[in-house]
Amino acid sequence: MRDTKITPVLFIFIITLLSTCSIHRQIPQEDFKPTLILVSFDGCRYDYPNMATTPALDEMAAEGVKADGLKTSFPSKTFPNHLTIVTGLYPEHHGIIANRIYDDVNDETYTLGNGAVLESKWYQGEPVWVTAERQGLRTATFFWPGSEAEIGGYRPTYYKAYDNDFPYNKRVEQVLAWLDMPEATRPQFLSLYFDEPDHSGHEFGPASTEAIAALERVDKQLASLLDGIEERHLEDKVNVIVVSDHGMTSLSRDSVIFLDDYINMSDIKMVDYSPVAAIRPNPGKLEEVYQALKDAHPHMKVFKKGEVPEKYHYNDYKFIQPIIAISDLHWTMTTHDFFNSHPNYPSKGTHGFDPDYQDMNAIFYAKGPAFKKGVSLPVFRNTNIYELMCHILEIQPAPNDGSLEVTKGVLEK
Ligand code: AMP
Ligand code: ZN
Ligand code: ZN
């Protein structure tokens, strides 16, 4: 029989070898390329975190960057703004001008529920994952409006069809699992999306107990993400940006504008209702409908396409309808029929209003090796995030409506 006794020298050698291996298991053996995780808390108004217990957002602010607010693009709706954040383009330039869009030539409608979100034809801009993939990087989206469609011939390397009910913690686990992939297949840009506190803000009202509790729930998910990054010793490798798409304001059944008090609804097609009504008059009816609506209500502004004030950036796109009516903050446009048959309409809260209202402001937090620590930014436009993300990923941005000038003061280099 062979002698299997281990000499003390060999023993020390083996222990040293094992401990070296275990350190190597914790610290990635090769250097991480620039990596960025973009997180969205849908409908988190700029001031919600002040009303909630949000240790993860607080950690982001203390160890990174917090903006006083993020200014939404018009209309302050989910799809238009998620696309603006990832393209740097105003909605009139990236094409997602509303959550409901009508193509009159082909009689096709884009809505969130009809599968149109998968169709390339609606998307005009270049989302950051396309810019990255074009330049040879891999990307991964655990949901982001537009991420399931092929855009400009590209898709994220890893993506998932939207599923509202997919458990939040599983989303975080998958993002962390993507970070664990070998260098050859690991994505450098990753997104993570949560539909709260938007949903609770609509149902229970902005700043309601339920909306604040919903923010606390998503903050816990952010905490797991940040913890997961720390467990992997990647806090000096991986950047995290947390944004929301818009704010939220209260509505009431007492602040309602009835369009059918002023026009005959059979003279028009309503593409979208409130707070931005997209109105398509029947042939020959444009002037009559416009004149009837123009000064009809003190809380409703009405414009013909091409005459929407410059600040909205909302004229220059084929699917913008001939008449755009915009209600003032808190006001809802509807018809008597709809109002009478929906006793719970309008919901307690909504968004979509002029981004100049502070209630429409969103959040921006950032942390990681690219960012200075414990710094703040004044309110800035969400068109500027795309350039920032391209800078972090060291890729060439496509033409866009934003600028790195706005955020470069919070960057390490
Ligand atoms: P909004 O009507 O502007 O409040 O839209 C918010 C809703 O958009 C959320 O409650 C989600 O259900 C929905 N949503 C978010 N991302 C996607 C997606 N990628 N595909 C389809 N629907 C989505
Ligand atoms: Zn939203
Ligand atoms: Zn919403």
Side-chain angles (χ1 to χ4, degrees):
M1 246 185 104
R2 278 181 60 198
D3 187 358
T4 52
K5 234 172 69 193
I6 296 172
T7 64
V9 175
L10 189 58
F11 178 76
I12 289 167
F13 175 74
I14 290 169
I15 292 296
T16 312
L17 197 68
L18 283 176
S19 61
T20 317
C21 287
S22 83
I23 290 166
H24 275 194
R25 239 183 287 124
Q26 285 170 14
I27 300 174
Q29 299 190 8
E30 83 300 327
D31 219 358
F32 251 64
K33 291 185 181 151
T35 301
L36 169 64
I37 306 175
L38 176 65
V39 184
S40 169
F41 290 180
D42 199 312
C44 184
R45 199 169 72 184
Y46 75 102
D47 58 347
Y48 280 9
N50 302 337
M51 308 171 199
T53 304
T54 54
L57 285 180
D58 296 351
E59 179 186 328
M60 300 266 312
E63 295 173 16
V65 184
K66 176 187 176 181
D68 296 335
L70 183 64
K71 188 161 179 175
T72 300
S73 298
F74 179 81
S76 45
K77 287 280 190 186
T78 296
F79 268 61
N81 279 284
H82 276 90
L83 267 300
T84 291
I85 289 164
V86 294
T87 60
L89 297 168
Y90 288 112
E92 67 175 354
H93 295 148
H94 64 56
I96 305 301
I97 50 163
N99 285 351
R100 278 183 69 83
I101 310 169
Y102 180 63
D103 166 2
D104 59 296
V105 175
N106 298 299
D107 190 25
E108 287 170 359
T109 304
Y110 177 98
T111 70
L112 306 194
N114 72 350
V117 297
L118 308 175
E119 296 167 6
S120 313
K121 69 170 267 190
W122 304 100
Y123 302 91
Q124 309 302 327
E126 182 170 301
V128 62
W129 61 80
V130 174
T131 310
E133 295 274 346
R134 237 190 237 298
Q135 294 176 42
L137 283 69
R138 278 170 301 279
T139 64
T141 47
F142 213 110
F143 305 149
W144 197 272
S147 64
E148 301 133 79
E150 184 179 295
I151 302 180
Y154 290 85
R155 291 172 184 280
T157 303
Y158 314 104
Y159 68 98
K160 218 180 134 43
Y162 187 67
D163 173 3
N164 214 52
D165 299 326
F166 200 95
Y168 285 174
N169 61 334
K170 299 276 176 220
R171 303 180 194 193
V172 174
E173 277 171 23
Q174 177 60 69
V175 166
L176 290 170
W178 279 326
L179 292 183
D180 288 334
M181 291 177 88
E183 202 272 332
T185 49
R186 183 195 312 136
Q188 285 177 254
F189 170 82
L190 306 93
S191 81
L192 178 59
Y193 168 87
F194 301 107
D195 62 325
E196 289 282 19
D198 180 74
H199 176 78
S200 298
H202 283 290
E203 190 172 347
F204 302 102
S208 59
T209 314
E210 291 84 351
I212 298 307
L215 168 59
E216 292 177 351
R217 276 203 304 284
V218 289
D219 186 79
K220 286 206 173 74
Q221 299 305 322
L222 177 62
S224 317
L225 179 72
L226 298 179
D227 288 349
I229 291 170
E230 274 165 39
E231 277 159 22
R232 289 163 176 75
H233 303 286
L234 292 175
E235 59 273 38
D236 295 329
K237 311 277 182 195
V238 174
N239 295 285
V240 179
I241 294 178
V242 180
V243 291
S244 60
D245 49 349
H246 50 70
M248 187 69 68
T249 201
S250 58
L251 302 175
S252 109
R253 248 174 112 76
D254 299 327
S255 302
V256 173
I257 301 164
F258 294 104
L259 296 175
D260 51 342
D261 280 348
Y262 314 111
I263 55 170
N264 186 342
M265 297 307 281
S266 59
D267 285 344
I268 62 161
K269 173 182 168 72
M270 284 298 283
V271 172
D272 210 355
Y273 262 91
S274 192
V276 179
I279 302 171
R280 193 170 176 79
N282 294 342
K285 289 283 180 184
L286 173 66
E287 202 52 38
E288 185 186 328
V289 171
Y290 174 67
Q291 291 301 334
L293 288 177
K294 187 163 68 92
D295 299 312
H297 196 287
H299 292 291
M300 178 174 71
K301 297 181 177 64
V302 182
F303 306 104
K304 281 188 192 166
K305 179 176 182 177
E307 297 173 2
V308 179
E310 197 42 48
K311 71 165 191 173
Y312 293 102
H313 297 274
Y314 208 69
N315 286 304
D316 178 25
Y317 190 54
K318 56 188 173 182
F319 298 148
I320 292 177
Q321 297 303 322
I323 296 177
I324 299 298
I326 309 169
S327 54
D328 288 350
L329 198 70
H330 307 304
W331 285 80
T332 302
M333 293 175 283
T334 187
T335 60
H336 286 285
D337 267 359
F338 190 86
F339 185 80
N340 293 333
S341 57
H342 294 82
N344 296 322
Y345 183 83
S347 58
K348 293 238 170 58
T350 206
H351 50 90
F353 299 93
D354 182 342
D356 278 351
Y357 292 117
Q358 202 174 18
D359 271 4
M360 293 301 105
N361 281 0
I363 58 164
F364 176 90
Y365 293 78
K367 173 181 182 291
F371 297 99
K372 291 182 179 161
K373 304 205 177 350
V375 292
S376 59
L377 269 171
V379 177
F380 69 99
R381 283 184 186 276
N382 63 0
T383 45
N384 298 303
I385 297 174
Y386 172 75
E387 286 263 344
L388 172 66
M389 295 193 292
C390 290
H391 176 84
I392 292 171
L393 293 169
E394 298 173 6
I395 53 178
Q396 199 57 40
N400 66 87
D401 297 320
S403 162
L404 189 61
E405 286 302 303
V406 179
T407 56
K408 75 170 191 209
V410 300
L411 287 169
E412 281 290 354
K413 57 176 177 28

